[in-house]
Amino acid sequence: MPLPLLLQLVSTCAIVTGSLCAILAYFRGSKSHQQSLNAQVFLNLTDRHASLIDFRRLEADQRLNDHWAGDLETAVAIREYFDLLSHEFALVDLGILDQRVWQIWQPDIARIVNTQLASEIWQKRTRHLHRTSPAFVSYIESLLTHQRGAFADGHSGSTLQISGATPIRV
């Protein structure tokens, strides 16, 4: 093989190998950047959630299962929680927050949204405030109806009526 042809073959292989390495480095860097961004968003949202002091007090006092007495302070605390959820939901919708990160919070979100206090305040005070985001409202409503079992109206099934008989407590 003549020397100029051999040099051209070697230089072409070097260019192709270098290009492949650059492409691989780009994709690895991009993946690493996305993971770093997801971790940062996760930590920031976790900090925001932890800063909902009044909501945390309600949860710690196990008052989330109580009926809402109509007080404004409790309504504000629950509204702040739903506002944070709507921001997180929007970040997922925009692709800024990865679905896998969003899925980490789903069991806890479903548990909280389906407490007596949160669901009452959502229906009576907060739902209408999110009417500009029908997708978010649908998301919350799907959690409420899904978690409450067969009764889409939120009925807990704690009383049963059979053939006109008096209600039975279970």
Side-chain angles (χ1 to χ4, degrees):
M1 181 177 262
L3 186 59
L5 189 58
L6 183 61
L7 288 175
Q8 186 178 9
L9 182 63
V10 169
S11 67
T12 303
C13 286
I15 290 170
V16 169
T17 304
S19 297
L20 289 175
C21 287
I23 291 169
L24 180 62
Y26 171 78
F27 284 118
R28 289 194 74 196
S30 176
K31 182 179 178 184
S32 176
H33 174 71
Q34 186 62 40
Q35 288 173 337
S36 176
L37 180 64
N38 281 335
Q40 188 61 46
V41 169
F42 176 81
L43 291 173
N44 287 347
L45 291 172
T46 302
D47 285 345
R48 278 188 63 192
H49 192 272
S51 71
L52 298 175
I53 301 300
D54 292 333
F55 177 78
R56 288 287 168 213
R57 283 190 184 124
L58 289 171
E59 193 172 33
D61 292 343
Q62 297 182 343
R63 291 180 33 213
L64 291 177
N65 289 316
D66 295 348
H67 283 284
W68 181 46
D71 60 303
L72 186 58
E73 295 80 20
T74 301
V76 168
I78 298 294
R79 179 185 173 187
E80 287 175 346
Y81 178 75
F82 279 112
D83 288 348
L84 176 60
L85 286 183
S86 72
H87 297 158
E88 293 170 352
F89 184 84
L91 290 174
V92 171
D93 191 44
L94 292 171
I96 295 171
L97 181 62
D98 191 272
Q99 276 286 346
R100 293 173 295 176
V101 175
W102 176 242
Q103 290 304 318
I104 294 170
W105 294 315
Q106 292 309 297
D108 198 44
I109 291 170
R111 178 187 62 79
I112 290 170
V113 165
N114 282 287
T115 61
Q116 186 67 40
L117 191 62
S119 61
E120 279 183 26
I121 292 174
W122 169 256
Q123 293 298 332
K124 294 177 182 176
R125 297 278 309 211
T126 307
R127 184 181 191 277
H128 76 280
L129 299 172
H130 292 280
R131 66 184 173 270
T132 57
S133 178
F136 176 68
V137 171
S138 294
Y139 163 70
I140 295 297
E141 297 292 323
S142 73
L143 289 177
L144 286 169
T145 57
H146 174 71
Q147 295 297 316
R148 291 194 179 225
F151 306 105
D153 64 350
H155 188 274
S156 66
S158 61
T159 60
L160 298 173
Q161 182 130 13
I162 303 171
S163 303
T166 57
I168 302 171
R169 285 272 200 233
V170 259

